[in-house]
């Protein structure tokens, strides 16, 4: 039915990171990436079609607050994507959009992947259109948040980096049911990061280590993919950590350099290494921020939370895990 739709879309955590954009018009990355779609950290977005040409309306519900007109900065990110989707649909309509996140803004969790995946899918559904997962992935990617291309699918998801129809959209590597991995997030930084990931993508090629990284990545991604398919945690863990350090090596050696880590980041990394030496199945990864995602098996989750939760710089822990991907729901925000 056309008119109104609400979609819940989850965030994701990259095991192999998208870092560096070669074409901003189409949001095409330099390198392939691979992530785990989450389930507890998500964006819920309602879209209502207004059958008139005119201006779009954007509302945002912050944690513990009521629905309010979105800030200028928030609207400036949403409105261009609505214009793009309107052009794609070829319809003279306006949109009323309301959105909220399941996780507190300021918890330092990237919300652009879940946000743009939810917005894209809710607009498509409100227009009464049907799209395949591949088409949804391309539409979400064009928002400028490349990682949104992966959040439209559940489980373990790869986004290739080449040109051509098979390369431009994300694909599922394995379903959520294939391997129950958890993500315990150690929150160290409550405020938004100082340098946006867009800025990071732009600076990445200035690092002298950017080219060597490109040569290493394809083999590293294959190792991660095979470890997931084989449910082999001991093969997954060192590769995921190697990749996380690599992303930050590029950021720190970009011009000008970007330092996302905080002292607590190193403490958590050391605790994770100690836990692994003691036989706990856990490894750590960070996106463009200070917070540490601790990927672990269900049996290890309690030990990880117990040890890392005691580190003074860790302000809170978020418990998440692999999820099924977006869904349409009836609980509208409008
Ligand atoms: O999709 P963007 O532009 O927010 O960039 C995502 C960058 C990382 O989170 C660091 C890596 C990734 O692949 O998700």
């Amino acid at each position: 039915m056309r008119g109104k739709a609400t979609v819940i879309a989850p965030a994701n955590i990259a095991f192999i990171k998208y870092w560096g954009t070669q074409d901003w018009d189409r949001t095409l990355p330099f390198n392939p990436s691979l992530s785990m779609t989450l389930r507890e950290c998500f964006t819920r977005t309602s879209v209502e079609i207004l059958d008139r040409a005119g201006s779009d309306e954007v509302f945002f519900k912050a944690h513990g607050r009521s629905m309010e007109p979105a800030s200028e900065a928030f609207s400036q990110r949403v409105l261009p994507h609505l214009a793009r989707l309107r052009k794609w649909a070829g319809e003279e309509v306006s949109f009323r959009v309301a959105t909220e996140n399941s996780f507190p803004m300021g918890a330092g969790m990237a919300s652009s992947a879940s946000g743009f995946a939810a917005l894209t899918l809710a607009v498509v559904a409100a227009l009464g259109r049907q799209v395949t997962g591949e088409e949804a992935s391309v539409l979400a990617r064009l928002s400028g948040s490349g990682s949104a291309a992966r959040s439209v699918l559940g489980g373990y998801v790869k986004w290739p980096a080449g040109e051509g129809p098979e390369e431009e959209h994300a694909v599922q590597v394995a379903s959520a049911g294939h391997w129950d991995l958890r993500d315990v997030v150690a929150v160290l930084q409550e405020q938004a990061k100082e340098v946006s990931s867009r800025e990071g993508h732009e600076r990445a090629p200035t690092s002298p280590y950017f080219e060597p990284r490109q040569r290493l990545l394809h083999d590293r991604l294959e190792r991660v993919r095979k470890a997931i398919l084989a449910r082999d945690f001991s093969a997954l863990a060192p590769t995921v950590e190697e990749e996380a350090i690599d992303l930050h090596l590029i950021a720190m050696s970009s011009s000008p350099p970007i330092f996302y880590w905080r002292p607590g980041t190193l403490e958590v990394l050391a605790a994770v290494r100690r836990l692994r030496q003691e036989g706990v199945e856990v490894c750590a990864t960070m996106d463009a921020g200070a917070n540490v995602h601790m990927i672990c098996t269900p049996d290890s989750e309690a030990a990880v939370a117990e040890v890392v939760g005691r580190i003074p710089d860790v302000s809170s822990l978020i418990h998440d895990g692999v999820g099924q991907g977006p869904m349409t729901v009836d609980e509208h925000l409008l």
Side-chain angles (χ1 to χ4, degrees), residues 14 16-19 33 112 144-147 150 197 201 247 287-288:
I16 299 290
K17 319 281 185 185
Y18 151 47
W19 201 241
S33 54
S112 61
S145 171
S147 54
R150 300 187 309 245
S197 40
H201 291 306
L247 166 82
D287 275 346

Side-chain angles (χ1 to χ4, degrees), residues 26-43:
R26 294 188 296 151
T27 325
L28 287 179
F30 276 105
N31 67 274
S33 54
L34 195 155
S35 56
M36 176 170 100
T37 299
L38 301 176
R39 57 174 179 245
E40 303 297 334
C41 294
F42 60 80
T43 301

